């Protein structure tokens, strides 16, 4: 997405232990959780790269109060998609931009999606073709996943996990 926007970048993996942080912040509102995690990822990378602009992000797929994390297995992806089938849910992305170990922008962005009513056969076929095992919500919106939806409201880039419009606006 950043390449498409003409933003030159390097990828640096954050040493942040997400699971440890998630346990500590689980009582916060979901919008605060994603921002907190985005900051926790951006800050150590910024500290190690003080002359760089560092973008940290996190995402939650939410149906009611149930969080749909990366499924990791096909059976879990199928289970998740069966729950989401025919229902409206949310993708919430947190963004943190840090410079010289200081967060200069932090915000959450939300998109609403309604999945079509899908048969088990359609779900199984989708999972086999698109392999969404590392995708929040068990679908890759940027790929074949966009065909699963009746409608979306919001920025498609938020659904993909990175609020690109906000990032482009930051660089203006």
């Amino acid at each position: 997405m950043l390449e498409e926007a003409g933003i030159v970048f390097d990828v640096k993996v954050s040493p942040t232990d997400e699971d440890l942080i998630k346990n500590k912040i689980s009582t916060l509102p979901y919008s605060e959780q994603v921002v907190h995690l985005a900051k926790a990822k951006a800050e150590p990378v910024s500290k190690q790269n003080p002359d760089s602009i560092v973008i940290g992000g996190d995402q939650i797929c939410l149906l009611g109060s149930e969080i749909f994390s990366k499924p990791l297995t096909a059976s879990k992806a199928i289970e998740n998609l069966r729950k989401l089938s025919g229902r409206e849910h949310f993708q919430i992305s947190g963004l943190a931009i840090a410079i010289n170990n200081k967060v200069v922008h932090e915000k959450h962005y939300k998109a609403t999606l309604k999945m079509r009513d899908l048969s088990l056969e359609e779900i199984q076929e989708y999972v086999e073709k698109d392999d969404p095992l590392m995708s929040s919500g068990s679908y890759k919106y940027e790929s074949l996943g966009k065909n699963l939806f009746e409608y979306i409201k919001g920025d498609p880039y938020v659904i993909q996990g990175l609020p690109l419009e906000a990032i482009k606006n930051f660089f203006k």
Side-chain angles (χ1 to χ4, degrees), residues 32-138:
E32 291 179 31
Q33 289 182 38
V34 291
V35 171
H36 190 92
L37 280 163
K39 288 170 39 179
K41 293 175 187 178
E43 287 170 335
V45 175
S46 182
K47 187 175 186 176
Q48 295 168 351
N49 301 274
D51 297 328
S52 299
I53 298 171
V54 176
I55 299 168
D58 195 68
Q59 182 179 39
I60 288 177
C61 178
L62 193 62
L63 174 66
S65 61
E66 184 175 359
I67 295 174
F68 289 77
S69 300
K70 296 172 184 170
L72 307 179
T73 67
S75 61
K76 183 65 176 173
I78 291 166
E79 176 187 327
N80 289 347
L81 292 170
R82 289 186 79 180
K83 289 180 183 178
L84 293 170
S85 176
R87 308 209 37 211
E88 189 175 85
H89 65 281
F90 305 99
Q91 287 281 1
I92 306 171
S93 291
L95 174 67
I97 300 175
I99 302 171
N100 201 17
N101 201 30
K102 181 180 180 201
V103 174
V104 296
H105 177 85
E106 61 182 83
K107 191 171 179 182
H108 79 278
Y109 303 85
K110 183 175 171 182
T112 304
L113 304 92
K114 180 165 185 205
M115 194 170 280
R116 294 186 297 104
D117 281 316
L118 301 170
S119 68
L120 177 57
E121 184 178 274
E122 286 175 299
I123 290 170
Q124 290 170 329
E125 184 178 314
Y126 168 73
V127 170
E128 185 178 310
K129 284 183 179 177
D130 216 17
D131 193 33
L133 306 186
M134 295 302 293
S135 300
S136 174
S138 303

